[in-house]
Amino acid sequence: MNAFDYVVVSIDGDYANLRRTDVQSSELKLVARALLPDTIAEGTKLHYEYMEYQIVEIVE
């Protein structure tokens, strides 16, 4: 199973734009907020593994 690290770039209604941080990429991934932890904000770092997103670091 693959694991990826992301940062929340922006939140737009029911969706969030995520950018991978474990590789060099400028592409954004659009993810439904229902699949993400409730407490995310722009700048929150996430880890994706086993079809689940977990918060690594919350930016205040």
Side-chain angles (χ1 to χ4, degrees), residues 4-45:
F4 306 103
D5 293 315
Y6 294 96
V7 65
V8 178
V9 174
S10 64
I11 297 173
D12 186 20
D14 291 335
Y15 295 91
N17 286 299
L18 309 180
R19 178 178 295 124
R20 280 188 63 180
T21 59
D22 56 332
V23 296
Q24 284 287 68
S25 176
S26 60
E27 292 184 32
L28 297 179
K29 179 178 182 177
L30 186 64
V31 178
R33 289 190 61 193
L35 301 174
L36 301 171
D38 293 336
T39 58
I40 65 161
E42 291 181 7
T44 300
K45 294 182 182 178

Side-chain angles (χ1 to χ4, degrees), residues 35-54:
L35 301 174
L36 301 171
D38 293 336
T39 58
I40 65 161
E42 291 181 7
T44 300
K45 294 182 182 178
L46 302 170
H47 180 75
Y48 175 82
E49 190 170 15
Y50 299 112
M51 298 179 67
E52 184 177 348
Y53 291 91
Q54 296 179 341

